[in-house]
Amino acid sequence: MRRENSIKKKSSIKARVTLWYTILMLVILVIGAAYLLSLNSNISRTAQQQTLVDTVTATIKDIRFTYSELDDAGVDFYRDGVSIFLYDTKGRLLAPKINSGLKVDSVLTDRYLRTVSQGSEKWLVYDLYSESAGPGCWIRGIFPLSHSQETLRRMQLLILAAVPFFTLLAAVGGYYITKRAFARVGAMAKTAEAITSGQDLSRRLPDDGSGDELSMLGHAMNSMLERLQASFDRERRFTSDVSHELRTPTAVILSQCEYALTCKATADKDESLQSIRRQAGRISSIVSQLLLMIRAENGKFCPAMEPLSIGELCEMIVMEMEETARAQDVRLECSPDRSLVVNGDETLLIRMVTNLLSNAIRYNRPGGTVRLTVDADHGRCLIRVADTGIGISPDNLGRIWERFYRADSARSGDGSGLGLPMVRFIANLHGGDVDAESHPGKGSIFTVTLPLAGNGELPQKIRNDSSF
Ligand code: ADP
């Protein structure tokens, strides 16, 4: 029903558009033709009158009288379509002697230009009285209008045939173009409907690449669909990753609970409880990290920004992690520029540096080193964590920032694959960025770039209080 309506509406737009420019074309053609005809008739009438007057006036000099007798040897009685007649003062025809058969009115009127009709014939007549050559004489010029009338009539006929022809041509051509354009709109609507009903976001609207308005619309909608598809895919992957990540600890908790309920020995119960606590802690950590990121993405999280001595903060974190590093037989080194200040959320920055350091320790080799440096570079603060660990293969290097991605599941252990996405998220939140370079088997360097606060110097208040 809806489809029928849309087809009805479509054809009605086609018909309306075609009707509109057909009428417009007709009006333009009719006005144009009328104007052209009247202009042409006026121009040719003026030209004919001018020719007649000029020919009659020019005849004066050709007229000779010998002993009061007309000598018409030099007179040209037919010139430029004008027939010349000479009359004496009494109005009797002197020349030409052969009656031309023109029976126009005989009243001679000096310098009087007029149109004379006889039956369907029309003439332009001009009389001139001259005494320049002896006795006076009348010169009459006659210009037949039948020829120009015929031309005008032919032109009218031509226009009469051309106007409907061109109007029809415009209507048919316009209808065809509109039909083609709407056919593409129809195809687009059909694909859009198929996408909606079939939930198949991989389909694209037809785009012939012609660059016209419809092609531009198709292109814009296809880009939108591409973005939508990417976003849906991301969301789908994210949901499946989250469920997958939560399934393992939840299953462990359930089985440990079952075991604890059935076993008698207190030591076994304690072990089960420890395991449950570890898994619950993991779930809690995943949920809190995800919540934080989602709240920030939705604009509902406001970090508590304040000027911080980033060098001193890093130094403190290194001190706190020394025990963990030692347990893994890894040496921690730290050389920060203590004077550098960034505007940041202390808790988030601690989490960011801690994540980098724990990875550098976890993916290191026994006897390896982790080196943390904090420097300034072109008005920005560079936090670098370099390790001598297993490194990351080039294939994995591009994916380590994805949520839940783990390049080395065996080593990752309790890791959730959220550590590095969190690092990047915190860096971005502070107007900074992250980068990683790695040489498999030799080690990796993770660099966080943060904007320095103000002139990058430590305010007096912070300088005096280094305890955090
Ligand atoms: P995880 O919790 O698994 O450590 P992360 O997001 O912190 O998750 O890291 C993602 C993956 O990147 C890890 O599984 C690991 O394979 C790799 N990775 C991160 N840091 C390092 C590092 N310093 N050296 C080698 N591999 C690393």
Side-chain angles (χ1 to χ4, degrees), residues 229-241:
Q229 189 187 10
S231 140
F232 280 136
D233 283 352
R234 245 195 337 265
E235 200 170 305
R236 207 173 294 153
R237 209 169 51 230
F238 176 71
T239 317
S240 105
D241 285 347

Side-chain angles (χ1 to χ4, degrees), residues 288-296 301 348 351 422 425:
S288 72
Q289 291 194 72
L290 285 177
L291 250 176
L292 180 69
M293 285 193 244
I294 289 164
R295 277 172 62 206
F301 172 75
L348 291 179
R351 187 182 282 194
M422 195 69 187
F425 160 74

Side-chain angles (χ1 to χ4, degrees), residues 32-54:
Y35 179 71
L36 204 74
L37 280 175
S38 96
L39 194 74
N40 181 53
S41 129
N42 282 344
I43 289 174
S44 60
R45 180 59 58 90
T46 313
Q48 287 159 355
Q49 288 173 351
Q50 194 58 50
T51 310
L52 179 60
V53 171
D54 289 351

Side-chain angles (χ1 to χ4, degrees), residues 120 220 371 396 431:
S120 61
R371 185 170 175 74
N396 289 325

Side-chain angles (χ1 to χ4, degrees), residues 21-32:
Y21 56 68
T22 306
I23 291 173
L24 195 74
M25 184 79 176
L26 189 69
V27 170
I28 291 172
L29 279 177
V30 167
I31 293 175

Side-chain angles (χ1 to χ4, degrees), residues 241-242 244-253 274-290 362 404 406 409 412-418:
D241 285 347
V242 171
H244 183 259
E245 283 308 313
L246 294 180
R247 207 172 50 202
T248 316
T250 316
V252 173
I253 287 174
Q274 293 284 357
S275 169
I276 290 170
R277 195 172 66 177
R278 253 196 330 272
Q279 297 304 330
R282 196 171 160 215
I283 292 176
S284 160
S285 151
I286 292 174
V287 170
S288 72
Q289 291 194 72
L290 285 177
R362 186 187 297 162
F404 300 113
R406 274 169 292 186
S409 328
S412 188
D414 278 353
S416 59
L418 284 173

